């Protein structure tokens, strides 16, 4: 049996490299049976493509469904702006109330360094167009993803004043003003930190807002920490409670 | 506003250019009854995730990847067996011999393993390259090449039992 037989289909499909195709062509010139087989495979492919006849239906219906969803999004966008306004007002109220909460006592008890939410506000991080980076880690993996999604959950209560990249303990206050302990990394490149804990046992998420100028140093730092940076930023964050 | 307009134009164009391909893709895998809904769901997903498409693969293979996942979801949900080719044999302008050949080929296609049938669909009917088919099936391109070769061997064995081993 000619060993080139196994390559005939890939040759017909143009899936061989130039040198592989030349080898097949040389074999075809020398072996008439191989040429016959090539033709048979080619004809079989043609027959398969002629075999079915499917009438296409549903095109208009799909277009309408897409347009309808688009219209729904517009409506939700308007509602979203209304919610955003309300949430921002709530966040401002929270900011002013924060120093008086029991949070401070718990922070002192663990000897961790924190600043209040107001002090944590970095002017360069307050820009609404700054990139949003989401960090998540569970027991055996850590992933950082640049996100375009709207952030809408919790407000950070403090920012660690540590300068080196070590796991530290953070306290997080959400809109209901409960505190949760979360272990995470401190990044040397700075920025403003927001945490989101989706529940006991699930991965902890850290959302960091950084100005463009700090992104490259953060990427280098994440690499040093063996944290994988996934995806590229597609659009800026649209709602940023802690920077209000 | 310009970006929204661009996205709108873009999704409309994607539906226009790929609907027939996606619909047929779905018919082959889950049958005519469910294909229309699955094709629609595919494009609603495309609309949703379009801003995240980074061009790592061709648009066609990206959309068919989404259709593939949708068909798998339907199969799981409704506990479907993999479908066979949907062949509507036209009765005019076709000779008796052709009818027999087509029927023989249809039976031969049905006798293929699901893996072999899938690569035939992706490559011969949906026009994907080995690499694009590999991306959808999540296997190396070499595996697609090997599966297509063996699928054709099996088809020829079924259709030309005397000629193949010559």
């Amino acid at each position: 049996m000619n060993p080139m037989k196994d390559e005939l289909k890939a040759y017909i499909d143009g899936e061989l490299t130039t040198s592989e195709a030349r080898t097949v062509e040389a074999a075809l010139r020398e072996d008439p049976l191989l040429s016959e087989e090539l033709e048979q495979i080619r004809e079989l492919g043609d027959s398969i493509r002629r075999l079915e006849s499917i009438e296409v239906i549903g095109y208009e219906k799909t277009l309408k469904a897409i347009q309808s969803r688009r219209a729904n999004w517009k409506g939700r966008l308007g509602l979203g702006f209304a919610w955003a306004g309300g949430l921002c007002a709530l966040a401002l109220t929270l900011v002013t109330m924060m120093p008086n909460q029991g949070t401070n006592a718990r922070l002192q008890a663990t000897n961790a360094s924190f600043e209040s939410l107001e002090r944590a506000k970095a002017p360069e991080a307050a820009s609404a167009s700054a990139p949003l980076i989401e960090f998540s880690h569970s027991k055996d993996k850590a992933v950082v993803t640049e996100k375009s999604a709207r952030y809408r959950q919790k407000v950070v209560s403090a920012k660690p004043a540590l300068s080196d990249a070590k796991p530290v303990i953070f306290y997080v206050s959400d809109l209901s003003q409960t505190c949760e302990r979360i272990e995470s990394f401190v990044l040397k490149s700075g920025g403003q930190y927001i945490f989101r804990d989706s529940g006991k046992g699930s991965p902890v998420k850290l959302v960091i807002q950084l100005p463009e100028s700090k992104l490259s140093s953060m990427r280098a730092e994440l690499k040093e920490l063996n944290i994988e940076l996934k995806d590229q930023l597609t659009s800026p964050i649209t709602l940023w409670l802690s920077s209000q | 506003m310009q970006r929204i307009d661009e996205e709108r134009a873009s999704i409309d164009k994607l539906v226009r250019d790929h609907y027939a391909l996606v619909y047929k893709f779905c018919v082959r895998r889950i049958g005519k009854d469910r294909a229309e809904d699955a094709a629609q769901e595919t494009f609603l997903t495309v609309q949703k995730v379009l801003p995240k498409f980074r061009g790592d693969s061709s648009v066609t293979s990206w959309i068919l990847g989404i259709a593939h996942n949708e068909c798998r979801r339907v199969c799981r949900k409704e506990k479907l067996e993999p479908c066979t080719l949907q062949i509507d044999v036209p009765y005019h302008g076709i000779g008796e011999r052709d009818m027999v050949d087509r029927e023989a080929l249809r039976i031969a296609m049905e006798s293929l393993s699901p893996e072999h049938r899938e690569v035939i669909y992706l490559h011969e009917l949906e026009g994907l390259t080995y690499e694009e088919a590999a991306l959808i099936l999540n296997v190396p391109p070499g595996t697609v090449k090997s599966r297509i070769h063996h699928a054709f061997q099996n088809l020829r064995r079924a259709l030309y039992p005397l000629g193949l081993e010559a």
Side-chain angles (χ1 to χ4, degrees):
Chain A
M1 189 185 101
N2 195 319
M4 285 299 112
K5 275 186 172 187
D6 291 354
E7 302 297 320
L8 290 179
K9 179 61 181 145
Y11 172 73
I12 292 167
D13 293 336
E15 294 276 355
L16 295 181
T17 62
T18 311
S19 70
E20 287 169 338
R22 278 186 192 144
T23 310
V24 172
E25 282 159 7
L28 285 168
R29 279 193 296 273
E30 288 173 9
D31 187 348
L33 285 177
L34 197 65
S35 297
E36 272 180 35
E37 196 158 326
L38 178 88
E39 280 314 305
Q40 198 182 61
I41 294 171
R42 207 192 298 269
E43 277 175 25
L44 181 54
D46 291 343
S47 301
I48 290 171
R49 285 186 289 277
R50 285 196 303 264
L51 188 60
E52 64 171 16
S53 157
I54 298 174
E55 187 196 349
V56 177
I57 54 169
Y59 170 73
E60 293 295 334
K61 200 173 151 188
T62 294
L63 262 188
K64 275 182 190 162
I66 281 176
Q67 285 157 3
S68 157
R69 179 174 283 189
R70 200 184 284 147
N72 282 344
W73 282 351
K74 277 184 186 170
R76 283 184 195 170
L77 197 63
L79 193 62
F81 279 123
W83 270 101
L87 283 173
C88 288
L90 188 60
L92 280 173
T93 311
L94 180 63
V95 164
T96 46
M97 287 170 66
M98 194 78 70
N100 299 324
Q101 299 302 311
T103 310
N104 286 348
R106 296 180 65 177
L107 294 182
Q108 284 164 6
T110 58
N111 293 324
S113 300
F114 290 96
E115 296 169 6
S116 73
L117 176 62
E118 283 176 291
R119 286 173 62 199
K121 278 195 279 181
E124 71 251 30
S127 161
S129 63
L132 177 73
I133 296 174
E134 191 171 282
F135 170 93
S136 67
H137 74 95
S138 55
K139 195 176 175 184
D140 39 20
K141 71 170 181 180
V143 176
V144 172
T145 313
E146 291 186 16
K147 301 281 283 186
S148 61
R150 191 176 60 180
Y151 183 76
R152 60 178 185 279
Q153 278 195 291
K154 294 183 180 180
V155 180
V156 69
S157 67
K159 177 186 174 186
L162 300 178
S163 59
D164 54 353
K166 287 178 184 171
V168 292
I169 298 170
F170 290 152
Y171 279 86
V172 176
S173 173
D174 64 9
L175 291 174
S176 62
Q177 299 181 39
T178 59
C179 287
E180 299 170 59
R181 178 182 143 154
I182 293 175
E183 287 187 357
S184 189
F185 293 100
V186 178
L187 297 168
K188 279 183 274 189
S189 50
Q192 194 167 0
Y193 297 77
I194 283 192
F195 293 84
R196 180 170 54 199
D197 188 2
S198 46
K200 204 174 180 183
S202 58
V204 171
K205 287 184 177 175
L206 158 64
V207 178
I208 307 164
Q209 190 181 35
L210 288 176
E212 281 289 351
S213 58
K214 285 195 172 179
L215 262 183
S216 57
S217 58
M218 183 179 173
R219 281 202 185 94
E221 203 175 321
L222 291 169
K223 199 173 172 187
E224 225 173 68
L225 291 168
N226 275 335
I227 296 171
E228 189 187 355
L229 186 59
K230 276 189 169 180
D231 299 333
Q232 295 299 310
L233 186 73
T234 51
S235 65
I237 181 174
T238 54
L239 180 61
W240 184 246
L241 294 177
S242 67
S243 66
Q244 301 301 311
Chain B
M1 187 59 79
Q2 189 187 349
R3 191 164 165 238
I4 293 171
D5 287 342
E6 280 169 11
E7 280 184 14
R8 180 183 305 163
S10 171
I11 181 68
D12 289 354
K13 186 176 186 316
L14 287 178
V15 179
R16 193 171 61 241
D17 294 350
H18 293 85
Y19 183 81
L21 180 70
V22 168
Y23 176 78
K24 288 180 181 179
F25 181 99
C26 296
V27 167
R28 289 175 197 123
R29 285 153 184 87
I30 54 175
K32 279 182 179 174
D33 293 346
R34 299 174 182 84
E36 195 179 338
D37 286 346
Q40 187 180 109
E41 276 306 314
T42 298
F43 282 103
L44 288 173
T45 306
V46 166
Q47 182 184 29
K48 193 172 158 189
V49 300
L50 186 59
K52 291 181 188 167
F53 177 59
R54 295 189 296 169
D56 292 340
S57 59
S58 73
V59 175
T60 303
S61 60
W62 177 65
I63 293 175
L64 289 187
I66 293 171
H68 181 70
N69 288 338
E70 178 59 25
C71 290
R72 287 177 64 183
R73 191 189 65 76
V74 172
C75 281
R76 270 198 310 272
K77 189 179 165 194
E78 303 193 21
K79 296 184 172 65
L80 296 178
E81 292 294 320
C83 287
T84 57
L85 275 177
Q86 304 291 307
I87 304 165
D88 297 331
V89 181
Y91 289 99
H92 301 291
I94 193 161
E96 190 183 331
R97 184 181 148 68
D98 286 336
M99 292 275 286
V100 172
D101 287 349
R102 287 164 69 95
E103 183 58 14
L105 182 51
R106 191 186 63 79
I107 292 168
M109 286 287 290
E110 277 184 8
S111 71
L112 292 178
S113 69
E115 288 81 10
H116 285 170
R117 202 161 43 221
E118 183 69 44
V119 289
I120 298 268
Y121 286 175
L122 290 170
H123 179 67
E124 301 296 337
L125 300 177
E126 280 128 21
L128 299 187
T129 64
Y130 290 4
E131 198 173 343
E132 288 170 334
L135 271 177
I136 289 178
L137 298 175
N138 201 21
V139 297
T143 303
V144 172
K145 181 185 170 188
S146 162
R147 283 183 189 172
I148 288 180
H149 167 70
H150 285 107
F152 266 70
Q153 285 277 91
N154 292 342
L155 285 175
R156 290 170 62 220
R157 216 169 262 140
L159 294 167
Y160 323 111
L162 299 176
L164 189 60
E165 303 305 330

